[in-house]
Amino acid sequence: MTFEHLGIDTQLTQELQNYNIKTPTQIQEKTIPLLLTGQDLIARSETGSGKTLCFALPILGKILSGKGVQSLIIVPTRELAKQIALEFQKFSRNKNIRTICVYGGTSLSNQITLLRRADIVVGTPGRLLDLMRRRNLDLSKIQSVVLDEADRMLDMGFIHDIETILQATPKTRQTMFFSATVPEEIIHLGRKFLSHPASVNVLPERTKEVLAQFYYTLRRNEKISYLVHSLKKEQIQLALIFCKTKHFTKTLARELSQNGIKAASLNGNMSQSQRERTIQDFKEGRFTTLVATDVAARGLHIDNVSHVYNFELPMDLDSYTHRIGRTARAGKEGKAISLVAEHEYDILQRITGFYKEKIKRLEKEDYPLLKVSIQDRPHFNRSRGRFSHRNNAEQSLQRFARYNS
Ligand code: ADP
Ligand code: MG
């Protein structure tokens, strides 16, 4: 099967070949012919399966240069907006089509200037809404709207913004939802905004398991030491480490650096330019370990991430799936390693219940316990009038952060 068989024009397939993209992935095979007919769609497939091209190619095939904003791609984060805009730009170099991206945290005026001549706009919901309300973004010529990572946008509370934007676009538009998971809210949103949508669902391939999932059970105050041990022992190309709070990403990165591991942090408190620089430096391997929160790492695809660590497990299974999807991309091997303390056993159970034999528990090896580690002291609970061990990991980590700053 080739992209030409799916109905993609020769100019575009040529562009794809320049990037060594020759054979469509499963989700591309199933969605591209449908989308070329103009049908609405809800598509689900795992991260790294090539969803961007599913919508990018049909859109690029239809857009006419200089006829106003004809296509809108709504995405949850700035990083993803940039990444997708870049894909569009990459494959339309010879087409004179303008793709621009808009997101918060940067000046409006630049984006407003660019909007005047844009054919395709990729953006985050808040900024799109802002531009729409200021009448800088004219949605009257829109022919297609894509919600990429629809599940995460709903998780992030963008539902009202998205509904407002969709309502402002012509009813004749083609609408596409792409997601790694399809929770009930998406189906609900689909009923409201899609017309006779096709539903395409590609289950993860079972034959070729390139992602190995492991976990260790540890005490909370062993985690940093064990992480350092593991990072030194594993053959790491790039490692992405997830934790829950913005503040703690910094603390942990510093702790790793002090123990001989080149690390930096990525979180929502950083300015846009700082974030971009950090991601670029990581991609180029200037440091090997990036400590991030879920939101900061959402949608990033960095091909050489060999390891994903869950320093703390996320709150739900979907987030876990998204996190581990940051490695083993494009057929490469990857490892996802979780460090699990007792207060996380509930969510661990949901994860092992879902992934079954695909996730294995490993016995921890001997490792040096480092001096600085999370203090797990009893805490005087005023309202109860007695000492207790806090179960709240975040509080404990924040206390740890204060202790070390
Ligand atoms: P998803 O959105 O499903 O997580 P992406 O669209 O970000 O996945 O694609 C992941 C990676 O796979 C990108 O680097 C992309 O260039 C590459 N890719 C996409 N389609 C193909 C293909 N048909 N053949 C080879 N590589 C591909
Ligand atoms: Mg994607």
Side-chain angles (χ1 to χ4, degrees), residues 299-381:
L300 280 187
H301 74 74
I302 297 169
D303 279 342
N304 297 329
V305 173
S306 57
H307 290 67
V308 166
Y309 282 87
N310 290 304
F311 185 81
E312 298 164 288
L313 287 178
M315 305 296 276
D316 56 67
L317 180 61
D318 282 355
S319 302
Y320 176 83
T321 302
H322 280 298
R323 285 182 180 186
I324 66 174
R326 303 296 116 206
T327 184
R329 294 176 75 84
K332 292 192 182 123
E333 289 182 10
K335 269 190 195 181
I337 299 176
S338 300
L339 307 181
V340 187
E342 200 176 338
H343 67 281
E344 300 169 294
Y345 284 0
D346 280 351
I347 178 65
L348 176 67
Q349 219 169 19
R350 258 178 285 156
I351 292 166
T352 54
F354 181 79
Y355 283 101
K356 301 212 160 62
E357 71 283 356
K358 286 189 187 169
I359 180 164
K360 291 189 180 65
R361 172 160 185 252
L362 294 181
E363 289 300 329
K364 65 180 184 235
E365 302 157 12
D366 289 336
Y367 68 98
L369 195 59
L370 303 172
K371 264 208 200 94
V372 183
S373 56
I374 298 169
Q375 301 298 298
D376 203 9
R377 296 167 299 199
H379 151 79
F380 187 71
N381 184 326

Coordinates of all heavy atoms in Angstrom, one line a residue, residues 299-381:
G299 N 1.9 15.6 23.9 CA 2.0 15.7 22.4 C 3.4 15.9 21.9 O 3.6 15.8 20.7
L300 N 4.4 16.0 22.7 CA 5.7 16.1 22.3 C 6.1 14.9 21.5 O 5.9 13.8 22.1 CB 6.7 16.2 23.4 CG 6.9 17.5 24.1 CD1 8.0 17.4 25.2 CD2 7.2 18.6 23.1
H301 N 6.7 15.0 20.4 CA 7.3 13.8 19.9 C 8.7 14.0 19.6 O 9.1 14.7 18.7 CB 6.5 13.0 18.9 CG 6.5 13.6 17.5 ND1 7.6 13.5 16.7 CD2 5.6 14.2 16.8 CE1 7.3 14.1 15.6 NE2 6.1 14.6 15.6
I302 N 9.5 13.3 20.4 CA 11.0 13.4 20.3 C 11.4 11.9 20.0 O 11.1 11.1 20.8 CB 11.6 13.9 21.6 CG1 11.0 15.4 21.8 CG2 13.1 13.9 21.5 CD1 11.3 16.0 23.1
D303 N 11.9 11.7 18.8 CA 12.1 10.4 18.4 C 13.0 9.5 19.2 O 12.9 8.3 19.3 CB 12.6 10.3 16.9 CG 11.4 10.5 16.0 OD1 10.2 10.3 16.4 OD2 11.6 10.9 14.8
N304 N 14.0 10.1 19.8 CA 15.0 9.3 20.5 C 14.8 9.1 22.0 O 15.8 8.8 22.7 CB 16.4 9.9 20.2 CG 16.7 9.8 18.7 OD1 16.2 8.9 18.0 ND2 17.5 10.8 18.2
V305 N 13.6 9.3 22.5 CA 13.4 9.0 23.9 C 13.4 7.5 24.1 O 12.5 6.8 23.6 CB 12.0 9.6 24.3 CG1 11.7 9.2 25.8 CG2 12.0 11.1 24.2
S306 N 14.4 7.0 24.7 CA 14.6 5.6 24.9 C 13.9 5.1 26.2 O 13.5 4.0 26.3 CB 16.0 5.2 24.9 OG 16.7 5.9 26.0
H307 N 13.7 6.0 27.1 CA 13.1 5.7 28.4 C 12.1 6.7 28.9 O 12.4 7.9 28.9 CB 14.2 5.6 29.5 CG 15.1 4.4 29.3 ND1 16.0 4.3 28.2 CD2 15.3 3.3 30.1 CE1 16.7 3.2 28.3 NE2 16.3 2.5 29.4
V308 N 11.0 6.2 29.4 CA 10.1 7.1 30.1 C 10.0 6.6 31.6 O 9.9 5.4 31.8 CB 8.7 7.1 29.5 CG1 7.7 7.7 30.5 CG2 8.6 7.8 28.2
Y309 N 10.3 7.5 32.5 CA 10.2 7.1 33.9 C 8.9 7.8 34.5 O 8.7 9.0 34.3 CB 11.4 7.6 34.7 CG 12.6 6.7 34.5 CD1 13.5 7.0 33.5 CD2 12.9 5.7 35.4 CE1 14.6 6.2 33.3 CE2 14.0 4.9 35.2 CZ 14.9 5.2 34.2 OH 16.0 4.4 34.0
N310 N 8.2 7.0 35.3 CA 7.2 7.6 36.1 C 7.7 7.7 37.5 O 7.7 6.7 38.2 CB 5.9 6.7 36.1 CG 5.2 6.8 34.8 OD1 4.9 7.8 34.3 ND2 5.0 5.6 34.2
F311 N 8.2 8.9 37.8 CA 8.7 9.1 39.2 C 7.6 9.0 40.1 O 7.7 8.5 41.2 CB 9.4 10.4 39.3 CG 10.1 10.6 40.6 CD1 11.3 10.1 40.9 CD2 9.4 11.4 41.6 CE1 11.9 10.2 42.1 CE2 10.0 11.5 42.9 CZ 11.3 11.0 43.1
E312 N 6.4 9.5 39.7 CA 5.2 9.3 40.4 C 4.2 8.9 39.3 O 4.2 9.4 38.2 CB 4.7 10.7 40.9 CG 5.6 11.2 41.9 CD 5.3 12.7 42.2 OE1 5.6 13.5 41.3 OE2 4.8 13.0 43.2
L313 N 3.3 8.0 39.7 CA 2.3 7.6 38.7 C 1.3 8.7 38.6 O 1.1 9.5 39.5 CB 1.6 6.3 39.2 CG 2.4 5.0 39.1 CD1 1.5 3.9 39.7 CD2 2.8 4.7 37.7
P314 N 0.7 8.8 37.4 CA -0.4 9.8 37.2 C -1.7 9.4 37.9 O -1.7 8.3 38.5 CB -0.6 9.8 35.7 CG -0.2 8.5 35.3 CD 0.9 8.0 36.2
M315 N -2.7 10.3 37.8 CA -3.9 10.0 38.5 C -4.8 8.9 37.8 O -5.6 8.3 38.4 CB -4.7 11.3 38.7 CG -4.0 12.4 39.3 SD -3.6 12.0 41.0 CE -5.1 12.5 41.8
D316 N -4.6 8.8 36.5 CA -5.5 7.9 35.8 C -4.7 7.1 34.7 O -3.6 7.4 34.3 CB -6.7 8.6 35.2 CG -6.2 9.7 34.3 OD1 -5.6 9.5 33.3 OD2 -6.4 10.9 34.7
L317 N -5.4 6.1 34.3 CA -4.8 5.1 33.3 C -4.5 5.8 31.9 O -3.5 5.6 31.4 CB -5.8 4.0 33.1 CG -5.5 2.9 32.1 CD1 -4.2 2.2 32.5 CD2 -6.6 1.9 31.9
D318 N -5.4 6.7 31.5 CA -5.2 7.3 30.2 C -3.9 8.2 30.2 O -3.1 8.1 29.3 CB -6.4 8.3 29.9 CG -7.6 7.5 29.3 OD1 -7.4 6.3 29.1 OD2 -8.6 8.1 29.1
S319 N -3.7 8.8 31.3 CA -2.5 9.6 31.4 C -1.2 8.7 31.4 O -0.2 9.1 30.8 CB -2.4 10.5 32.7 OG -3.5 11.3 32.8
Y320 N -1.3 7.6 32.0 CA -0.2 6.6 32.0 C 0.0 6.2 30.5 O 1.2 6.2 30.1 CB -0.6 5.4 32.9 CG 0.5 4.3 32.8 CD1 1.6 4.4 33.6 CD2 0.4 3.3 31.9 CE1 2.6 3.4 33.5 CE2 1.3 2.3 31.8 CZ 2.5 2.4 32.6 OH 3.4 1.4 32.5
T321 N -1.0 5.9 29.8 CA -0.9 5.5 28.4 C -0.2 6.6 27.6 O 0.6 6.3 26.8 CB -2.3 5.2 27.9 OG1 -2.8 4.1 28.7 CG2 -2.2 4.7 26.4
H322 N -0.6 7.8 27.8 CA 0.0 8.9 27.1 C 1.4 9.1 27.4 O 2.3 9.3 26.6 CB -0.7 10.2 27.4 CG -2.0 10.4 26.7 ND1 -2.0 10.4 25.3 CD2 -3.3 10.5 27.1 CE1 -3.3 10.6 24.9 NE2 -4.0 10.6 25.9
R323 N 1.8 9.0 28.7 CA 3.2 9.1 29.1 C 4.0 8.1 28.4 O 5.1 8.4 27.8 CB 3.3 9.0 30.6 CG 2.8 10.1 31.4 CD 3.1 9.8 32.9 NE 2.6 10.9 33.8 CZ 2.9 10.9 35.1 NH1 3.5 9.9 35.6 NH2 2.4 11.9 35.8
I324 N 3.7 6.8 28.5 CA 4.5 5.8 28.0 C 4.6 5.9 26.5 O 5.5 5.4 25.9 CB 4.2 4.4 28.5 CG1 2.8 3.9 27.9 CG2 4.2 4.3 30.0 CD1 2.5 2.5 28.3
G325 N 3.6 6.5 25.9 CA 3.6 6.7 24.4 C 4.7 7.7 23.9 O 4.8 7.9 22.7
R326 N 5.3 8.3 24.9 CA 6.4 9.2 24.5 C 7.7 8.5 24.1 O 8.6 9.0 23.6 CB 6.8 10.2 25.6 CG 5.7 11.0 26.2 CD 5.2 12.0 25.1 NE 3.8 11.7 24.9 CZ 3.2 12.0 23.7 NH1 3.9 12.5 22.7 NH2 2.0 11.6 23.5
T327 N 7.7 7.2 24.3 CA 8.9 6.4 23.9 C 8.4 5.3 23.0 O 7.2 5.1 22.7 CB 9.6 5.8 25.1 OG1 10.8 5.1 24.6 CG2 8.8 4.8 25.9
A328 N 9.3 4.5 22.4 CA 9.0 3.4 21.5 C 8.1 4.0 20.3 O 7.1 3.4 19.9 CB 8.2 2.3 22.1
R329 N 8.6 5.1 19.8 CA 7.9 5.8 18.7 C 8.5 5.4 17.4 O 9.6 5.0 17.3 CB 7.9 7.3 18.8 CG 7.1 7.8 20.0 CD 7.2 9.2 20.2 NE 6.4 10.0 19.3 CZ 5.1 10.2 19.4 NH1 4.5 9.8 20.5 NH2 4.5 10.9 18.5
A330 N 7.6 5.4 16.3 CA 8.1 5.1 15.0 C 8.9 3.8 14.9 O 9.9 3.7 14.3 CB 8.9 6.3 14.4
G331 N 8.4 2.8 15.6 CA 9.0 1.4 15.5 C 10.3 1.2 16.3 O 10.9 0.2 16.3
K332 N 10.7 2.3 17.0 CA 11.9 2.2 17.8 C 11.6 1.5 19.2 O 10.4 1.6 19.6 CB 12.6 3.5 18.1 CG 13.1 4.1 16.8 CD 14.0 5.3 17.2 CE 14.5 5.9 15.9 NZ 14.2 7.3 15.7
E333 N 12.6 0.9 19.8 CA 12.3 0.3 21.1 C 12.3 1.3 22.2 O 13.0 2.3 22.1 CB 13.4 -0.8 21.4 CG 13.2 -2.0 20.5 CD 14.3 -3.1 20.8 OE1 15.0 -2.9 21.8 OE2 14.3 -4.0 20.0
G334 N 11.6 1.0 23.3 CA 11.6 1.9 24.4 C 11.2 1.2 25.7 O 10.7 0.1 25.6
K335 N 11.6 1.8 26.8 CA 11.3 1.2 28.1 C 10.5 2.3 28.9 O 10.8 3.4 28.9 CB 12.5 0.9 28.9 CG 13.1 -0.5 28.7 CD 14.2 -0.7 29.7 CE 15.0 -1.9 29.3 NZ 16.1 -2.2 30.3
A336 N 9.5 1.8 29.6 CA 8.7 2.7 30.5 C 8.9 2.1 31.9 O 8.6 0.9 32.1 CB 7.3 2.7 30.2
I337 N 9.5 2.8 32.8 CA 9.8 2.3 34.1 C 9.1 3.2 35.2 O 9.2 4.4 35.2 CB 11.3 2.4 34.4 CG1 12.0 1.5 33.3 CG2 11.7 1.9 35.8 CD1 13.6 1.5 33.4
S338 N 8.3 2.5 36.0 CA 7.6 3.3 37.0 C 8.1 3.0 38.4 O 8.4 1.8 38.7 CB 6.1 2.9 37.0 OG 5.6 3.2 35.7
L339 N 8.3 4.0 39.2 CA 8.7 3.9 40.6 C 7.5 4.1 41.5 O 7.0 5.2 41.5 CB 9.8 4.9 40.9 CG 11.0 4.9 39.9 CD1 12.0 5.9 40.4 CD2 11.7 3.5 39.8
V340 N 7.1 3.0 42.1 CA 5.8 3.1 42.7 C 5.9 2.9 44.3 O 6.5 2.0 44.7 CB 4.8 1.9 42.2 CG1 3.4 2.1 42.7 CG2 4.9 1.9 40.7
A341 N 5.3 3.9 45.0 CA 5.3 3.8 46.4 C 3.9 3.3 46.9 O 3.0 3.4 46.1 CB 5.7 5.1 47.0
E342 N 3.8 3.0 48.1 CA 2.6 2.4 48.6 C 1.3 3.2 48.4 O 0.3 2.7 48.0 CB 2.8 2.1 50.1 CG 1.8 1.0 50.6 CD 2.0 0.7 52.0 OE1 3.2 0.9 52.5 OE2 1.1 0.1 52.7
H343 N 1.5 4.5 48.5 CA 0.3 5.4 48.4 C -0.2 5.4 46.9 O -1.3 5.9 46.6 CB 0.6 6.8 48.9 CG 1.5 7.5 48.0 ND1 2.9 7.3 48.1 CD2 1.4 8.4 47.1 CE1 3.5 8.1 47.3 NE2 2.6 8.8 46.6
E344 N 0.5 4.8 46.0 CA 0.1 4.8 44.6 C -0.4 3.4 44.2 O -0.7 3.2 43.0 CB 1.3 5.1 43.7 CG 1.9 6.5 44.0 CD 3.2 6.7 43.3 OE1 4.2 6.0 43.7 OE2 3.3 7.6 42.5
Y345 N -0.6 2.5 45.1 CA -1.0 1.1 44.7 C -2.4 1.1 44.0 O -2.6 0.2 43.2 CB -1.0 0.2 45.9 CG 0.4 -0.2 46.3 CD1 1.5 0.2 45.6 CD2 0.6 -1.1 47.4 CE1 2.8 -0.1 46.0 CE2 1.9 -1.5 47.8 CZ 3.0 -1.0 47.1 OH 4.3 -1.4 47.4
D346 N -3.3 2.0 44.4 CA -4.6 1.9 43.7 C -4.5 2.1 42.2 O -5.0 1.3 41.5 CB -5.5 3.1 44.3 CG -6.1 2.7 45.6 OD1 -5.9 1.5 46.0 OD2 -6.7 3.6 46.3
I347 N -3.8 3.2 41.8 CA -3.7 3.4 40.4 C -2.8 2.4 39.8 O -3.0 1.9 38.6 CB -3.2 4.9 40.1 CG1 -3.0 5.1 38.6 CG2 -1.9 5.3 40.8 CD1 -4.3 5.1 37.8
L348 N -1.8 1.9 40.5 CA -0.9 0.8 39.9 C -1.8 -0.4 39.6 O -1.6 -1.0 38.5 CB 0.1 0.4 41.0 CG 1.0 -0.8 40.5 CD1 1.9 -0.5 39.3 CD2 1.8 -1.4 41.7
Q349 N -2.8 -0.7 40.4 CA -3.6 -1.8 40.2 C -4.4 -1.7 38.9 O -4.6 -2.6 38.2 CB -4.6 -2.0 41.4 CG -4.8 -3.4 41.7 CD -5.5 -3.6 43.1 OE1 -6.1 -2.6 43.5 NE2 -5.4 -4.7 43.7
R350 N -4.9 -0.4 38.7 CA -5.6 -0.2 37.5 C -4.7 -0.4 36.2 O -5.2 -0.9 35.2 CB -6.2 1.2 37.5 CG -7.7 1.2 37.8 CD -8.3 2.6 37.9 NE -7.9 3.3 39.1 CZ -7.9 4.6 39.2 NH1 -8.2 5.4 38.2 NH2 -7.5 5.1 40.3
I351 N -3.5 0.1 36.4 CA -2.6 0.0 35.2 C -2.2 -1.5 35.0 O -2.3 -1.9 33.8 CB -1.3 0.8 35.5 CG1 -1.6 2.3 35.5 CG2 -0.2 0.5 34.5 CD1 -0.6 3.2 36.2
T352 N -1.9 -2.2 36.0 CA -1.5 -3.6 35.8 C -2.8 -4.4 35.3 O -2.6 -5.4 34.6 CB -0.9 -4.3 37.0 OG1 -1.8 -4.1 38.1 CG2 0.4 -3.7 37.4
G353 N -3.9 -4.0 35.8 CA -5.1 -4.7 35.4 C -5.4 -4.5 33.9 O -5.9 -5.4 33.2
F354 N -5.0 -3.4 33.4 CA -5.3 -3.1 32.0 C -4.2 -3.7 31.1 O -4.4 -4.3 30.1 CB -5.3 -1.6 31.8 CG -5.6 -1.2 30.3 CD1 -6.9 -1.3 29.8 CD2 -4.5 -0.8 29.5 CE1 -7.1 -0.9 28.5 CE2 -4.8 -0.4 28.2 CZ -6.1 -0.5 27.7
Y355 N -2.9 -3.5 31.5 CA -1.8 -4.0 30.6 C -1.4 -5.4 30.9 O -0.6 -6.0 30.1 CB -0.6 -3.0 30.8 CG -0.8 -1.7 30.0 CD1 -1.1 -0.6 30.7 CD2 -0.6 -1.7 28.7 CE1 -1.3 0.6 30.0 CE2 -0.8 -0.5 28.0 CZ -1.1 0.6 28.6 OH -1.3 1.8 27.9
K356 N -1.9 -6.0 32.0 CA -1.7 -7.4 32.3 C -0.3 -7.9 32.1 O 0.6 -7.3 32.7 CB -2.7 -8.3 31.5 CG -4.1 -7.9 31.7 CD -5.1 -9.1 31.6 CE -6.4 -8.8 32.3 NZ -7.2 -7.7 31.8
E357 N -0.1 -8.8 31.2 CA 1.3 -9.4 31.2 C 2.3 -8.5 30.5 O 3.5 -8.8 30.5 CB 1.3 -10.8 30.5 CG 1.0 -10.8 29.0 CD -0.5 -10.6 28.7 OE1 -1.3 -10.5 29.6 OE2 -0.8 -10.5 27.5
K358 N 1.8 -7.4 29.9 CA 2.7 -6.4 29.3 C 3.5 -5.6 30.2 O 4.5 -5.0 29.9 CB 1.9 -5.5 28.4 CG 1.4 -6.1 27.1 CD 0.8 -5.1 26.3 CE 0.1 -5.7 25.1 NZ -0.6 -4.7 24.4
I359 N 3.1 -5.5 31.5 CA 3.9 -4.8 32.5 C 4.4 -5.8 33.5 O 3.6 -6.6 34.0 CB 3.0 -3.6 33.0 CG1 3.9 -2.8 34.1 CG2 1.7 -4.0 33.6 CD1 3.3 -1.5 34.4
K360 N 5.6 -5.6 33.8 CA 6.2 -6.6 34.7 C 6.8 -5.9 36.0 O 7.4 -4.9 35.8 CB 7.4 -7.4 34.0 CG 6.9 -8.3 33.0 CD 8.0 -9.2 32.4 CE 7.5 -10.1 31.4 NZ 7.0 -9.4 30.1
R361 N 6.7 -6.6 37.1 CA 7.3 -6.1 38.3 C 8.7 -6.6 38.4 O 9.0 -7.8 38.1 CB 6.5 -6.5 39.5 CG 7.2 -6.2 40.8 CD 6.3 -6.2 42.0 NE 7.1 -5.7 43.1 CZ 7.6 -6.5 44.1 NH1 7.2 -7.8 44.2 NH2 8.3 -6.0 45.1
L362 N 9.7 -5.7 38.7 CA 11.0 -6.1 38.8 C 11.4 -5.9 40.3 O 11.0 -5.0 40.9 CB 12.0 -5.3 37.9 CG 11.8 -5.4 36.4 CD1 12.8 -4.5 35.7 CD2 12.0 -6.9 36.0
E363 N 12.3 -6.9 40.8 CA 12.8 -6.7 42.1 C 13.9 -5.7 42.0 O 14.7 -5.6 41.1 CB 13.5 -8.1 42.5 CG 12.5 -9.2 42.8 CD 11.5 -8.8 44.0 OE1 11.9 -8.0 44.9 OE2 10.4 -9.2 43.9
K364 N 13.9 -4.8 43.0 CA 14.9 -3.8 43.0 C 16.3 -4.4 43.3 O 16.5 -5.3 44.1 CB 14.6 -2.6 43.9 CG 14.6 -2.9 45.3 CD 14.2 -1.7 46.1 CE 14.3 -2.0 47.6 NZ 13.1 -1.7 48.3
E365 N 17.3 -3.8 42.6 CA 18.7 -4.2 42.8 C 19.3 -3.5 44.0 O 18.7 -2.5 44.4 CB 19.5 -3.9 41.5 CG 18.9 -4.6 40.3 CD 19.3 -3.9 39.0 OE1 20.2 -3.0 39.1 OE2 18.7 -4.2 38.0
D366 N 20.5 -3.9 44.3 CA 21.2 -3.1 45.3 C 21.6 -1.8 44.7 O 21.9 -1.7 43.6 CB 22.5 -3.8 45.8 CG 22.1 -5.0 46.6 OD1 21.0 -5.0 47.2 OD2 23.0 -6.0 46.6
Y367 N 21.5 -0.7 45.5 CA 21.8 0.6 45.0 C 22.2 1.5 46.1 O 21.8 1.2 47.3 CB 20.5 1.2 44.3 CG 19.4 1.5 45.3 CD1 19.3 2.8 45.7 CD2 18.6 0.5 45.8 CE1 18.3 3.1 46.7 CE2 17.6 0.8 46.7 CZ 17.5 2.1 47.1 OH 16.5 2.4 48.1
P368 N 23.0 2.5 45.9 CA 23.4 3.4 47.0 C 22.3 4.3 47.3 O 21.7 5.0 46.5 CB 24.6 4.1 46.4 CG 24.5 4.0 44.9 CD 23.6 2.8 44.6
L369 N 22.0 4.4 48.6 CA 21.0 5.4 49.1 C 21.7 6.7 49.2 O 22.7 6.9 49.9 CB 20.4 4.9 50.4 CG 19.2 5.6 50.9 CD1 18.0 5.4 49.9 CD2 18.8 5.0 52.3
L370 N 21.2 7.7 48.5 CA 21.8 9.0 48.5 C 21.4 9.8 49.7 O 20.4 9.5 50.3 CB 21.4 9.8 47.2 CG 21.8 9.1 45.9 CD1 21.2 9.8 44.7 CD2 23.3 8.9 45.7
K371 N 22.2 10.8 50.0 CA 21.9 11.6 51.2 C 20.6 12.3 51.2 O 19.9 12.2 52.2 CB 23.0 12.6 51.4 CG 24.1 12.2 52.3 CD 24.8 13.4 53.0 CE 26.2 13.0 53.5 NZ 27.2 13.3 52.5
V372 N 20.3 13.0 50.1 CA 19.0 13.7 50.1 C 17.9 12.8 49.6 O 18.0 12.3 48.5 CB 19.2 15.0 49.2 CG1 17.9 15.8 49.3 CG2 20.3 15.8 49.7
S373 N 16.9 12.7 50.3 CA 15.8 12.0 49.8 C 14.5 12.5 50.5 O 14.6 13.3 51.5 CB 15.9 10.5 50.1 OG 16.1 10.3 51.5
I374 N 13.4 12.1 50.0 CA 12.1 12.7 50.5 C 12.0 12.3 52.0 O 12.1 11.2 52.4 CB 10.9 12.2 49.7 CG1 11.1 12.6 48.3 CG2 9.6 12.7 50.3 CD1 10.1 12.0 47.4
Q375 N 11.7 13.3 52.8 CA 11.5 13.1 54.2 C 10.1 12.6 54.4 O 9.1 13.2 54.0 CB 11.7 14.4 55.0 CG 13.0 15.0 54.8 CD 14.1 14.1 55.3 OE1 14.2 13.8 56.5 NE2 15.0 13.6 54.4
D376 N 10.0 11.4 55.0 CA 8.7 10.9 55.2 C 8.3 10.9 56.7 O 8.0 9.8 57.3 CB 8.6 9.5 54.6 CG 7.2 9.0 54.3 OD1 6.3 9.9 54.4 OD2 7.0 7.9 54.0
R377 N 8.5 12.1 57.3 CA 8.3 12.1 58.7 C 6.8 12.2 59.1 O 6.0 12.6 58.3 CB 8.9 13.5 59.2 CG 10.4 13.5 59.1 CD 10.8 14.9 59.3 NE 10.2 15.8 58.3 CZ 10.7 17.0 58.0 NH1 11.7 17.5 58.6 NH2 10.1 17.8 57.1
P378 N 6.5 11.8 60.3 CA 5.1 12.0 60.7 C 4.8 13.5 60.8 O 5.7 14.3 61.0 CB 5.0 11.4 62.1 CG 6.4 11.0 62.5 CD 7.3 11.2 61.3
H379 N 3.6 13.8 60.6 CA 3.2 15.2 60.5 C 2.1 15.5 61.5 O 1.2 14.7 61.7 CB 2.7 15.5 59.0 CG 1.7 16.6 58.9 ND1 2.1 17.9 58.9 CD2 0.4 16.5 58.7 CE1 1.0 18.6 58.7 NE2 -0.1 17.8 58.7
F380 N 2.1 16.6 62.2 CA 1.1 16.9 63.2 C -0.1 17.5 62.5 O -0.1 18.6 61.9 CB 1.6 17.9 64.2 CG 0.6 18.0 65.4 CD1 0.4 17.0 66.3 CD2 -0.1 19.2 65.5 CE1 -0.5 17.1 67.3 CE2 -1.0 19.4 66.5 CZ -1.2 18.3 67.4
N381 N -1.2 16.7 62.5 CA -2.4 17.1 61.8 C -3.3 17.9 62.8 O -3.8 17.4 63.8 CB -3.1 15.9 61.3 CG -4.4 16.2 60.5 OD1 -5.1 17.2 60.9 ND2 -4.7 15.4 59.5

